[in-house]
Structures are given as structure tokens and as C-alpha cells.
């Protein structure tokens, strides 16, 4: 069964264990927003599993990512199209 290719936008926690901050310092106080592209293997109320690579000849997958549903901002199925054929110029 062919899986759709898509984009998942999601929020994640972040941190930096080596930086030092003092009271009043300006720092990012919000989730980091990420975009992950891949074949949407499963999407349900639990979350979204995508694979970044596929091998059609043996129907295998690599590069798995799982995003919990509560972290998903948006999800979209994208259209994969075949490359256009090179245009041959008309000769006079």
C-alpha cells in the first residue's frame, strides 16, 4: 500500500545545558517549532509516524520519526509529481 508523502509541523522542548543565565536575561521561553517531511506511515489520535526514506523494491523504510499528537501543530499531505521532460526546442 502506498503511503502519502507529507509535512508535519510540531512543537518540541529545547534547552542548552552549557549556557548560563542571570535574572533579567532574555531567552527563548516558548517551544521550538519544527517541520518534518516524509512518508506518513501512521497518523491517529496517538500521534504521527513518518519515514524519511523508502526502498520501493523491497518495501522497506528508514529514518523513522514519531511525533505525539499533542505536539502536532499541523499536518498536510503533499503531492509528489514526476519531473517534467526536457523540452526540445523546435528547429527551423
Amino acid at each position: 500500500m502506498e503511503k502519502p508523502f507529507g509535512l508535519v509541523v510540531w512543537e518540541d522542548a529545547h534547552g542548552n545545558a552549557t549556557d548560563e543565565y542571570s535574572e533579567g536575561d532574555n531567552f527563548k521561553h516558548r517551544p521550538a517549532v519544527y517541520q518534518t517531511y516524509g512518508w506518513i506511515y501512521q497518523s491517529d489520535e496517538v500521534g504521527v509516524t513518518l519515514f524519511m526514506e523508502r526502498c520501493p523494491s523491497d518495501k522497506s523504510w528508514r529514518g523513522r520519526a514519531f511525533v505525539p499528537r499533542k505536539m502536532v501543530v499541523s499536518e498536510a499531505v503533499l503531492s509528489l509529481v514526476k519531473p517534467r521532460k526536457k523540452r526540445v526546442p523546435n528547429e527551423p
Side-chain angles (χ1 to χ4, degrees), residues 7-12 31-34 48 67-76:
L7 163 66
V8 175
V9 178
W10 56 286
E11 295 180 327
D12 198 7
V33 178
Y34 289 93
V48 183
V67 181
R69 178 57 59 192
K70 290 182 178 182
M71 297 169 73
V72 174
V73 174
S74 65
E75 179 180 345

Side-chain angles (χ1 to χ4, degrees), residues 9-64:
V9 178
W10 56 286
E11 295 180 327
D12 198 7
H14 60 88
N16 188 327
T18 60
D19 287 349
E20 293 184 15
Y21 296 96
S22 298
E23 189 172 342
D25 285 352
N26 192 11
F27 57 89
K28 188 175 175 182
H29 183 72
R30 62 187 175 281
V33 178
Y34 289 93
Q35 297 177 325
T36 302
Y37 293 87
W39 283 269
I40 300 173
Y41 192 82
Q42 185 173 352
S43 178
D44 56 23
E45 68 281 349
V46 177
V48 183
T49 294
L50 300 100
F51 284 94
M52 278 44 99
E53 296 180 349
R54 71 180 181 130
C55 181
S57 63
D58 68 1
K59 299 178 183 171
S60 65
W61 303 90
R62 285 196 310 200
R64 181 179 59 87

